[in-house]
mmCIF file of all heavy atoms in Angstrom:
data_model
loop_
_atom_site.group_PDB
_atom_site.id
_atom_site.type_symbol
_atom_site.label_atom_id
_atom_site.label_comp_id
_atom_site.label_asym_id
_atom_site.label_seq_id
_atom_site.Cartn_x
_atom_site.Cartn_y
_atom_site.Cartn_z
ATOM 1 N N GLY A 1 0.796 -1.240 -0.015
ATOM 2 C CA GLY A 1 -0.009 0.005 -0.017
ATOM 3 C C GLY A 1 0.774 1.304 -0.003
ATOM 4 O O GLY A 1 0.264 2.414 -0.043
ATOM 5 N N GLY A 2 2.160 1.174 0.089
ATOM 6 C CA GLY A 2 2.980 2.381 0.085
ATOM 7 C C GLY A 2 2.957 2.974 -1.268
ATOM 8 O O GLY A 2 2.410 2.403 -2.305
ATOM 9 N N GLY A 3 3.550 4.189 -1.429
ATOM 10 C CA GLY A 3 3.607 4.844 -2.729
ATOM 11 C C GLY A 3 3.940 6.306 -2.531
ATOM 12 O O GLY A 3 4.377 6.795 -1.483
ATOM 13 N N LEU A 4 3.744 7.050 -3.611
ATOM 14 C CA LEU A 4 4.010 8.452 -3.672
ATOM 15 C C LEU A 4 2.661 9.201 -3.667
ATOM 16 O O LEU A 4 1.742 8.864 -4.449
ATOM 17 C CB LEU A 4 4.744 8.807 -4.969
ATOM 18 C CG LEU A 4 4.958 10.318 -5.199
ATOM 19 C CD1 LEU A 4 5.834 10.897 -4.216
ATOM 20 C CD2 LEU A 4 5.597 10.487 -6.687
ATOM 21 N N VAL A 5 2.551 10.171 -2.805
ATOM 22 C CA VAL A 5 1.279 10.965 -2.717
ATOM 23 C C VAL A 5 1.649 12.410 -2.402
ATOM 24 O O VAL A 5 2.684 12.716 -1.828
ATOM 25 C CB VAL A 5 0.390 10.335 -1.577
ATOM 26 C CG1 VAL A 5 1.125 10.484 -0.224
ATOM 27 C CG2 VAL A 5 -0.968 10.941 -1.572
ATOM 28 N N HIS A 6 0.733 13.277 -2.833
ATOM 29 C CA HIS A 6 0.959 14.721 -2.599
ATOM 30 C C HIS A 6 0.589 15.052 -1.166
ATOM 31 O O HIS A 6 -0.276 14.392 -0.508
ATOM 32 C CB HIS A 6 0.137 15.542 -3.554
ATOM 33 C CG HIS A 6 0.648 15.462 -4.968
ATOM 34 N ND1 HIS A 6 1.888 15.905 -5.305
ATOM 35 C CD2 HIS A 6 0.024 15.102 -6.090
ATOM 36 C CE1 HIS A 6 2.008 15.731 -6.645
ATOM 37 N NE2 HIS A 6 0.942 15.238 -7.169
ATOM 38 N N SER A 7 1.180 16.139 -0.643
ATOM 39 C CA SER A 7 0.823 16.601 0.673
ATOM 40 C C SER A 7 -0.655 16.787 0.750
ATOM 41 O O SER A 7 -1.301 17.371 -0.115
ATOM 42 C CB SER A 7 1.559 17.909 1.034
ATOM 43 O OG SER A 7 1.289 18.384 2.272
ATOM 44 N N GLY A 8 -1.268 16.320 1.937
ATOM 45 C CA GLY A 8 -2.693 16.385 2.121
ATOM 46 C C GLY A 8 -3.459 15.153 1.606
ATOM 47 O O GLY A 8 -4.612 15.036 1.847
ATOM 48 N N GLY A 9 -2.760 14.296 0.926
ATOM 49 C CA GLY A 9 -3.376 13.085 0.432
ATOM 50 C C GLY A 9 -3.488 12.005 1.436
ATOM 51 O O GLY A 9 -3.151 12.162 2.609
ATOM 52 N N SER A 10 -3.965 10.832 0.975
ATOM 53 C CA SER A 10 -4.155 9.686 1.876
ATOM 54 C C SER A 10 -3.545 8.395 1.267
ATOM 55 O O SER A 10 -3.485 8.275 0.020
ATOM 56 C CB SER A 10 -5.692 9.448 2.100
ATOM 57 O OG SER A 10 -6.287 10.558 2.699
ATOM 58 N N LEU A 11 -3.201 7.531 2.131
ATOM 59 C CA LEU A 11 -2.770 6.159 1.730
ATOM 60 C C LEU A 11 -3.317 5.189 2.824
ATOM 61 O O LEU A 11 -3.456 5.608 3.990
ATOM 62 C CB LEU A 11 -1.315 6.082 1.637
ATOM 63 C CG LEU A 11 -0.534 6.617 0.429
ATOM 64 C CD1 LEU A 11 0.965 6.549 0.627
ATOM 65 C CD2 LEU A 11 -0.963 5.902 -0.837
ATOM 66 N N ARG A 12 -3.464 3.979 2.393
ATOM 67 C CA ARG A 12 -3.852 2.918 3.330
ATOM 68 C C ARG A 12 -2.777 1.877 3.217
ATOM 69 O O ARG A 12 -2.653 1.131 2.168
ATOM 70 C CB ARG A 12 -5.180 2.396 3.096
ATOM 71 C CG ARG A 12 -5.716 1.324 4.111
ATOM 72 C CD ARG A 12 -7.161 0.888 3.805
ATOM 73 N NE ARG A 12 -7.644 -0.033 4.746
ATOM 74 C CZ ARG A 12 -8.247 0.298 5.946
ATOM 75 N NH1 ARG A 12 -8.334 1.569 6.301
ATOM 76 N NH2 ARG A 12 -8.606 -0.615 6.776
ATOM 77 N N LEU A 13 -2.155 1.549 4.311
ATOM 78 C CA LEU A 13 -1.205 0.418 4.361
ATOM 79 C C LEU A 13 -1.816 -0.784 4.924
ATOM 80 O O LEU A 13 -2.632 -0.711 5.816
ATOM 81 C CB LEU A 13 0.047 0.853 5.283
ATOM 82 C CG LEU A 13 0.788 2.111 4.870
ATOM 83 C CD1 LEU A 13 2.003 2.243 5.838
ATOM 84 C CD2 LEU A 13 1.260 2.130 3.432
ATOM 85 N N SER A 14 -1.391 -1.907 4.416
ATOM 86 C CA SER A 14 -1.872 -3.221 4.949
ATOM 87 C C SER A 14 -0.712 -4.138 5.191
ATOM 88 O O SER A 14 0.355 -4.021 4.542
ATOM 89 C CB SER A 14 -2.822 -3.874 3.951
ATOM 90 O OG SER A 14 -4.019 -3.151 3.797
ATOM 91 N N CYS A 15 -0.889 -4.972 6.140
ATOM 92 C CA CYS A 15 0.085 -5.977 6.501
ATOM 93 C C CYS A 15 -0.583 -7.374 6.680
ATOM 94 O O CYS A 15 -1.451 -7.456 7.514
ATOM 95 C CB CYS A 15 0.780 -5.544 7.836
ATOM 96 S SG CYS A 15 1.906 -6.760 8.529
ATOM 97 N N ALA A 16 -0.169 -8.314 5.893
ATOM 98 C CA ALA A 16 -0.713 -9.642 5.920
ATOM 99 C C ALA A 16 0.167 -10.508 6.747
ATOM 100 O O ALA A 16 1.389 -10.616 6.409
ATOM 101 C CB ALA A 16 -0.895 -10.202 4.503
ATOM 102 N N ALA A 17 -0.363 -11.157 7.734
ATOM 103 C CA ALA A 17 0.441 -11.999 8.624
ATOM 104 C C ALA A 17 0.178 -13.532 8.405
ATOM 105 O O ALA A 17 -0.982 -13.859 8.088
ATOM 106 C CB ALA A 17 0.118 -11.635 10.059
ATOM 107 N N SER A 18 1.219 -14.260 8.609
ATOM 108 C CA SER A 18 1.028 -15.721 8.494
ATOM 109 C C SER A 18 2.145 -16.368 9.239
ATOM 110 O O SER A 18 3.209 -15.780 9.582
ATOM 111 C CB SER A 18 1.060 -16.164 7.051
ATOM 112 O OG SER A 18 2.283 -15.842 6.443
ATOM 113 N N GLY A 19 1.937 -17.626 9.729
ATOM 114 C CA GLY A 19 2.899 -18.395 10.351
ATOM 115 C C GLY A 19 2.929 -18.335 11.934
ATOM 116 O O GLY A 19 3.793 -18.891 12.516
ATOM 117 N N PHE A 20 1.963 -17.510 12.462
ATOM 118 C CA PHE A 20 1.831 -17.431 13.866
ATOM 119 C C PHE A 20 0.373 -17.107 14.200
ATOM 120 O O PHE A 20 -0.380 -16.802 13.324
ATOM 121 C CB PHE A 20 2.765 -16.450 14.473
ATOM 122 C CG PHE A 20 2.588 -14.939 14.035
ATOM 123 C CD1 PHE A 20 1.908 -14.103 14.800
ATOM 124 C CD2 PHE A 20 3.022 -14.583 12.758
ATOM 125 C CE1 PHE A 20 1.604 -12.774 14.340
ATOM 126 C CE2 PHE A 20 2.824 -13.278 12.295
ATOM 127 C CZ PHE A 20 2.132 -12.401 13.145
ATOM 128 N N THR A 21 0.114 -17.196 15.476
ATOM 129 C CA THR A 21 -1.323 -16.963 15.884
ATOM 130 C C THR A 21 -1.539 -15.477 16.047
ATOM 131 O O THR A 21 -1.364 -14.867 17.112
ATOM 132 C CB THR A 21 -1.656 -17.698 17.249
ATOM 133 O OG1 THR A 21 -1.252 -19.088 17.083
ATOM 134 C CG2 THR A 21 -3.095 -17.576 17.490
ATOM 135 N N PHE A 22 -1.974 -14.904 14.912
ATOM 136 C CA PHE A 22 -2.044 -13.490 14.781
ATOM 137 C C PHE A 22 -2.910 -12.864 15.945
ATOM 138 O O PHE A 22 -2.579 -11.814 16.476
ATOM 139 C CB PHE A 22 -2.656 -13.114 13.428
ATOM 140 C CG PHE A 22 -2.866 -11.707 13.151
ATOM 141 C CD1 PHE A 22 -1.846 -10.854 12.833
ATOM 142 C CD2 PHE A 22 -4.151 -11.077 13.230
ATOM 143 C CE1 PHE A 22 -2.047 -9.547 12.550
ATOM 144 C CE2 PHE A 22 -4.402 -9.790 12.940
ATOM 145 C CZ PHE A 22 -3.246 -9.009 12.582
ATOM 146 N N SER A 23 -4.027 -13.471 16.211
ATOM 147 C CA SER A 23 -5.004 -12.869 17.143
ATOM 148 C C SER A 23 -4.491 -12.732 18.577
ATOM 149 O O SER A 23 -5.091 -12.133 19.395
ATOM 150 C CB SER A 23 -6.266 -13.723 17.152
ATOM 151 O OG SER A 23 -6.028 -15.051 17.605
ATOM 152 N N LEU A 24 -3.373 -13.403 18.842
ATOM 153 C CA LEU A 24 -2.702 -13.206 20.196
ATOM 154 C C LEU A 24 -1.676 -12.158 20.266
ATOM 155 O O LEU A 24 -1.237 -11.881 21.420
ATOM 156 C CB LEU A 24 -2.053 -14.599 20.594
ATOM 157 C CG LEU A 24 -3.035 -15.780 20.674
ATOM 158 C CD1 LEU A 24 -2.131 -16.963 21.130
ATOM 159 C CD2 LEU A 24 -4.065 -15.521 21.739
ATOM 160 N N TYR A 25 -1.367 -11.576 19.235
ATOM 161 C CA TYR A 25 -0.264 -10.603 19.153
ATOM 162 C C TYR A 25 -0.713 -9.134 19.104
ATOM 163 O O TYR A 25 -1.670 -8.812 18.457
ATOM 164 C CB TYR A 25 0.597 -10.883 17.962
ATOM 165 C CG TYR A 25 1.609 -12.002 18.115
ATOM 166 C CD1 TYR A 25 1.114 -13.331 18.228
ATOM 167 C CD2 TYR A 25 2.958 -11.761 18.168
ATOM 168 C CE1 TYR A 25 1.981 -14.385 18.412
ATOM 169 C CE2 TYR A 25 3.841 -12.861 18.305
ATOM 170 C CZ TYR A 25 3.374 -14.159 18.510
ATOM 171 O OH TYR A 25 4.176 -15.181 18.642
ATOM 172 N N THR A 26 -0.018 -8.305 19.952
ATOM 173 C CA THR A 26 -0.192 -6.912 19.705
ATOM 174 C C THR A 26 0.568 -6.475 18.441
ATOM 175 O O THR A 26 1.569 -6.988 18.141
ATOM 176 C CB THR A 26 0.468 -6.109 20.886
ATOM 177 O OG1 THR A 26 -0.228 -6.389 22.116
ATOM 178 C CG2 THR A 26 0.575 -4.675 20.664
#
């Protein structure tokens, strides 16, 4: 989700997790 954006703009980053019990982690 990263990229180049002008000042005042928006971006949404996402992180996909695997290989561990995600729901237990901060």
Side-chain angles (χ1 to χ4, degrees):
L4 173 64
V5 64
H6 290 300
S7 181
S10 299
L11 282 174
R12 184 176 181 86
L13 305 182
S14 292
C15 173
S18 61
F20 62 100
T21 308
F22 178 79
S23 62
L24 296 180
Y25 280 68
T26 293

